[in-house]
Amino acid sequence: MPPTGIEPSRMNRKKGDKGFESPRPYKLTHQVVCINNINFQRKSVVGFVELTIFPTVANLNRIKLNSKQCRIYRVRINDLEAAFIYNDPTLEVCHSESKQRNLNYFSNAYAAAVSAVDPDAGNGELCIKVPSELWKHVDELKVLKIHINFSLDQPKGGLHFVVPSVEGSMAERGAHVFSCGYQNSTRFWFPCVDSYSELCTWKLEFTVDAAMVAVSNGDLVETVYTHDMRKKTFHYMLTIPTAASNISLAIGPFEVLVDPYMHEVTHFCLPQLLPLLKHTTSYLHEVFEFYEEILTCRYPYSCFKTVFIDEAYVEVAAYASMSIFSTNLLHSAMIIDETPLTRRCLAQALAQQFFGCFISRMSWSDEWVLKGISGYIYGLWMKKTFGVNEYRHWIKEELDKIVAYELKTGGVLLHPIFGGGKEKDNPASHLHFSIKHPHTLSWEYYTMFQCKAHLVMRLIENRISMEFMLQVFNKLLSLASTASSQKFQSHMWSQMLVSTYGFLKSISNVSGKDIQPLIKQWVDQSGVVKFYGSFAFNRKRNVLELEIKQDYTSPGTQKYVGPLKVTVQELDGSFNHTLQIEENSLKHDIPCHSKSRRNKKKKIPLMNGEEVDMDLSAMDADSPLLWIRIDPDMSVLRKVEFEQADFMWQYELRYERDVVAQQESILALEKFPTPASRLALTDILEQEQCFYRVRMSACFCLAKIANSMVSTWTGPPAMKSLFTRMFCCKTCPNIVRTNNFMSFQSYFLQKTMPVAMALLRDVHNLCPKEVLTFILDLIKYNDNRKNKFSDNYYRAEMIDALANSVTPAVSVNNEVRTLDNLNPDVRLILEEITRFLNMEKLLPSYRHTITVSCLRAIRVLQKNGHVPSDSSLFKSYAEYGHFVDIRIAALEAVVDYTKVDRSYEELQWLLNMIQTDPVPYVRHKILNMLTKNPPFTKTMESPLCNEALVDQLWKLMNSGTAHDWRLRCGAVDLYFTLFGLSRPSCLPLPELGLVLNLKEKKAVLNPTIIPEAGASNQESLSNPGCHAQLAGFQNPFSSSQDEEEVDMDTVHDSQAFISHHLNMLERPSTPGKEQPLEMSVHSMVAAPLSVFAKESTSSRHSEHHHHHHHEHKKKKKKHKHKHKHKHKHDSKDKDKEPFAFSSPASGRSVRSPSLSD
Amino acid sequence: MADTAAGPGGSGTRSGSKQSTNPADNYHLARRRTLQVVVSSLLTEAGFESAEKASVETLTEMLQSYISEIGRSAKSYCEHTARTQPTLSDIVVTLVEMGFNVDTLPAYAKRSQRMVITAPPVTNQPVTPKALTAGQNRPHPPHIPSHFPEFPDPHTYIKTPTYREPVSDYQVLREKAASQRRDVERALTRFMAKTGETQSLFKDDVSTFPLIAARPFTIPYLTALLPSELEIQQMEETDSSEQDEQTDTENLALHISTEDSGAEKENASVLQQNSLSGSRNGEESVIDNPYLRPVKKPKIRRKKSLS
């Protein structure tokens, strides 16, 4: 890792000790954003910003701000023209001349580039020079007002325009625009300090078409017509100090709905959707009430706005006092399945209003606190709204997800601390990306990060009790609200920032408990725990001998030491034991309370105090143990593989009341295909009181068991008689009752059972004819006329069931699939699919669920060889203009087709879509699906893997996705999946040079190179003098005086360093000592900012400087910040240099004026 | 006269070649023959001694057309003045309209050398066979004058209720409903597929499983999110009845009907009032939402115009 990390890490350490210290030499107090023209036709925005800052150091002469893709016309400070440089190294991470194609190199360079503009390190893309006239003013630490005029033309990220191509005015067409992005992305649409830690008050002004509404943060003060009365200006004031990253905007011809319960809450949706909006938001006030009650704190902002927009970047995006939602969350009262999902989104958004928007974070490494708290209180809301079962089920689901992810990738670290910038200390060396910045993170990692954060909060709650937990939150909130009301004391505002340290301190103050071990285990360290448990019952001693082993050597695991709860259900009751897991002890003796079975019939007490009758005939006569559970409360982030007898799992499933235990026993029973398991599962299915999700998973388990015992299975296919009894008519059992979905539990079961049944297979491994006819009858007799709810999800699942019943076609000599040799069963299925898909065109279902299922089913038929494999149908459904769910389903099929048919053409088609599709979410999703279902992987030979593809993908992540962090990280993920960390194997060895195996730190010489070259290479590797020089140039952003003190370890470990050597070797001339030195001089050319820094300390007030100033302006006019121009300019520079090289951090830079003299 | 002359224009040639025995045809043939005689006599009068058959036919045709036109036009005039019987003035106006100098007519009629032609043989007016009559036509009620057209045949407007034992067997009904719906759906989708663009899963066969081609929408979310008319209708039907056992489903209890619509009305009224006339005191002061406030007029302009 190049030592660019020095600055943030220094900062971090300080933060750990005391309060917040700004990385910037000034404090921002107020910002005005004024957008006076928005052109939907041209997709452009014109406006200005004005930042009010107070210098905090005397000799402030450079001000760095964030700005991306904005064209900046003019910068004035206190009405004086100011020179500025725009330099964004993230536009092109590695320069095009570089032949490097290994991901390690890229990731390092990318992290360096992001660091170079990271506001949390005091950096920015835009560097403004304070005019010399103001130097005196600055030295007195007086206020500066920076006025920047900018425009934005066809933004590719940050601001998304949706302009349907229909007739009419923009408002009639439903055209709208909204801000979007991943983490701090506000710099994409106006110049700002794009950090979560720089708070200020805001004045926001938007002039829009009179038929449109502009929704933004804070209070709408007034709306004023322009002189021609054709436009309106919306004036917003946000008096609560807010980070630029939490500023948002949505403009469109929205319908306005004032919440009938809370008049300060306003909802917005696109035209024609008002009835849906009314229904969807009718519930929101309850969420408000809930949060305000548990946090004993009023909602911090004076108003709240929800905006539902099309082509959303993410389903939910929370900003200060407003949230932007996907319009696809809207639903009518007839829709069952979407209702809880949408409500969850609303609740999530609201939780983030408190923690995330109102309370912001000090640095990226404190992000986990915010995500943790908001996720945790959202969980509490879930528990209250959907019940404990749903909540525990959700926790279990999240736990399984994070465990699976960490074991796969090697760990998620919540609170990364970066010491010294050394590669050795890199806390995430197992990953193919840097976790130093949110913008280098893989999206999947970030999702899992959030998931882990809230689970850890729950662990803290387990430790200190919920009451204390809520007190801590309340304390944080009241501190923040006190600080926020200090209008003129901006130094107080840092109280609104949360840090890991502050949070932990608050916990120890409130609870008096030491949670340090817990934090160390789950927050400061990555990995989960993997337990293997087994037991034996010692009859003589009446003792349960429990053995718990751990695997802490596999990637993503860690060793757990501490308490572990074990619950043993015995005949006499349920008993909790807390074991101490220590270094070497594996065996734990647990004394049993009950003597082995007595003959007396007696009820058995359960954990919850309930007493039940059990048929104990199945159990071991010698042992009083019914079942054992390890860590039943999920108070460790773990995976448990526990061995107990099948009858114990069956008892657990039937009688344990915890849904998590039921779920676990269902999973375990898959391995015991016996009539007893079958009976236990069927009983669960029939039990009305049982949690519906447990019953749903019992369906699938039953199908699996039935398949395993196919030769001994008696009676009708599994679940058929059950379904008939529950959902069919009494008089004619082959006809399903007309739909009535009033009871949601049975609705979900009714939906799931046929899907599971379709997985049944007979001895020939075919779906039994009886089952297929059964499902076809369900479809035939489906009658929704008397139902209050829509049956679209139900019908979609019936199609899923049909797809599940498909088995591979018997192929004779690879004959071509035609209609004539179509299997008669498949013909019936195809008949249904055709009819459903065609009916969708006439009577579309909600969110086109049926089309989605049909497309999936068609792909299944293709894949199983019943229908000729062809992607053209899917491609037509994937086009822009279809509903997004349909597009994703179609794209998924194309991705699958690409993999199965190894089609280069389709892969190109997908790659093209990634670059050109208008919807960012779709682009992201394609990359995501390609990564999940890759056409080939690094361990696989494939005709698709060729040099052109490598170059294409490299270009995509290097420069093609600079406008969208998420997309770029997605491209990196795909590259990693396809080629791995090192140089892709399909590339030829570089003509001259080494092939470095970076994982093993080994260098392999290209055999074609003459031995001298190799020798000289070794020489240069072992030359310390040139190391120092090279290290100096690699880090132009650290002050240049550091050159001499470069840590040698850093240099050795730095892969970027090695790769530079590679570049040097590609040079035809013989290497010597002088050349590296010469090179370091040239490196200055490419790194103007380092020159800046030097300059600033030496000759700040010289005349010399003035001269530059003018020169600079001229330059600016010439370039006008067109990247194309810059590029040309850049390459010209390079031509002049004796040899080309690339510095990861230097980026594309405007040439420094001081050297052009 | 005019009415009848209009008829044979079209059918004349056809009937001649057919030599059919149809009474209507005979009638028209007789008339045409008379016309031929008239043409021949006029030719004689003009001094011709013989004429080719073709030219006589042509002239006959022209004469017939002319008379037909007079008749048609006269009828129009008469109907224009809300009469059913043409009068002399109708004919006169028609002739004038057709560019004929009416004043010359009496003199021409009284010319000396004119030939008298015998009237056409009296043949019976062809009887148009009555369409199937069922029952007696209803007489006019007293307030309708008798010259108004008669009522149509009763079967065209009278409904006859039939009674049949309704099928009550549940299974049969469901079976019927299901297959009927399926047939309708299949027929409809096939029709749509036939008339529009299609896609096919099989390269060699495009007709067995025709899929209506996917067509992108300009605003895809509207069709995806809004319930179809059918569903809305269904909801209205089911809403009032049977759906009151809602309370036990605690989890997803959905808000519907009463309170919702109440809130709706309240809100709508507020919106309306606000849009109509800024702020009035009373109820709407309860809801003070900045988005409902009226848009202000620009200030600066006003100042400038004042000063």
Side-chain angles (χ1 to χ4, degrees), chain B residues 23-245:
Chain B
D25 284 347
N26 283 339
Y27 174 79
H28 294 309
L29 265 176
R31 297 287 160 137
R32 192 169 170 88
R33 206 162 296 134
T34 311
L35 274 182
Q36 261 169 355
V37 172
V38 168
V39 167
S40 310
S41 66
L42 282 173
L43 286 175
T44 320
E45 204 180 302
F48 290 95
E49 288 187 346
S50 66
E52 274 176 39
K53 181 140 175 75
S55 49
V56 174
E57 278 296 329
T58 310
L59 287 168
T60 311
E61 197 70 33
M62 285 167 73
L63 182 63
Q64 185 176 325
S65 305
Y66 192 79
I67 295 173
S68 301
E69 178 56 26
I70 293 171
R72 193 197 60 75
S73 200
K75 183 168 182 273
S76 301
Y77 280 113
C78 113
E79 282 172 357
H80 183 68
T81 45
R83 283 176 280 106
T84 51
Q85 290 287 322
T87 59
L88 181 66
S89 59
D90 290 329
I91 308 286
V92 171
V93 172
T94 302
L95 289 173
V96 170
E97 180 69 14
M98 286 172 76
F100 185 84
N101 190 355
V102 187
D103 297 339
T104 59
L105 198 59
Y108 183 73
K110 288 175 189 153
R111 69 190 188 279
S112 54
Q113 68 271 49
R114 72 189 174 99
M115 293 172 78
V116 177
I117 299 150
T118 51
V122 180
T123 47
N124 288 333
Q125 186 85 9
V127 189
T128 39
K130 264 230 156 155
L132 185 76
T133 48
Q136 288 279 299
N137 280 7
R138 222 166 109 189
H140 282 157
H143 62 275
I144 296 178
S146 56
H147 63 267
F148 270 60
E150 285 186 337
F151 272 107
D153 287 346
H155 75 269
T156 56
Y157 60 90
I158 281 177
K159 71 172 174 191
T160 330
T162 60
Y163 299 96
R164 209 206 293 165
E165 193 67 19
V167 185
S168 56
D169 182 28
Y170 184 76
Q171 186 170 354
V172 175
L173 271 180
R174 286 294 300 275
E175 186 92 39
K176 230 178 186 172
S179 50
Q180 204 165 24
R181 199 196 53 198
R182 173 172 297 231
D183 289 346
V184 168
E185 284 184 7
R186 185 174 302 154
L188 183 60
T189 51
R190 294 248 158 186
F191 172 74
M192 294 297 291
K194 282 250 165 67
T195 49
E197 236 180 288
T198 54
Q199 288 163 319
S200 174
L201 298 171
F202 295 91
K203 288 254 155 57
D204 55 336
D205 184 303
V206 286
S207 59
T208 316
F209 298 111
L211 298 173
I212 301 174
R215 199 162 292 142
F217 297 95
T218 41
I219 303 182
Y221 60 84
L222 285 182
T223 43
L225 300 178
L226 287 171
S228 64
E229 276 170 44
L230 188 78
E231 283 177 308
I232 292 171
Q233 191 191 333
Q234 259 176 40
M235 199 164 66
E236 278 163 3
E237 277 168 18
T238 49
D239 217 16
S240 48
S241 62
E242 61 181 329
Q243 310 286 3
D244 291 328
E245 340 122 70

Side-chain angles (χ1 to χ4, degrees), chain A residues 77 444 450 452 540-541 605 671 678 1033 1152:
Chain A
I77 302 182
E444 199 187 359
Q450 297 176 48
K452 188 170 185 176
K540 272 183 199 158
R541 294 166 57 210
K671 292 185 216 93
R678 176 184 171 183
F1033 94 73
S1152 166

Side-chain angles (χ1 to χ4, degrees), chain A residues 888-956:
Chain A
I888 299 296
L891 284 165
E892 199 172 4
V894 178
V895 167
D896 192 55
Y897 176 86
T898 310
K899 180 190 178 178
V900 174
D901 282 42
R902 298 189 167 187
S903 159
Y904 192 70
E905 191 196 323
E906 260 65 34
L907 185 60
Q908 284 303 322
W909 184 83
L910 286 168
L911 287 175
N912 181 46
M913 203 160 204
I914 291 170
Q915 288 165 69
T916 56
D917 198 81
V919 186
Y921 175 74
V922 170
R923 291 201 295 257
H924 159 70
K925 206 63 194 158
I926 300 172
L927 275 174
N928 188 278
M929 289 188 291
L930 274 173
T931 311
K932 287 230 169 82
N933 192 11
F936 59 91
T937 64
K938 51 201 172 226
T939 52
M940 204 190 284
E941 285 286 320
S942 168
L944 296 181
C945 175
N946 61 33
E947 206 175 337
L949 182 71
V950 174
D951 281 344
Q952 208 175 357
L953 275 175
W954 181 269
K955 217 178 129 202
L956 186 68

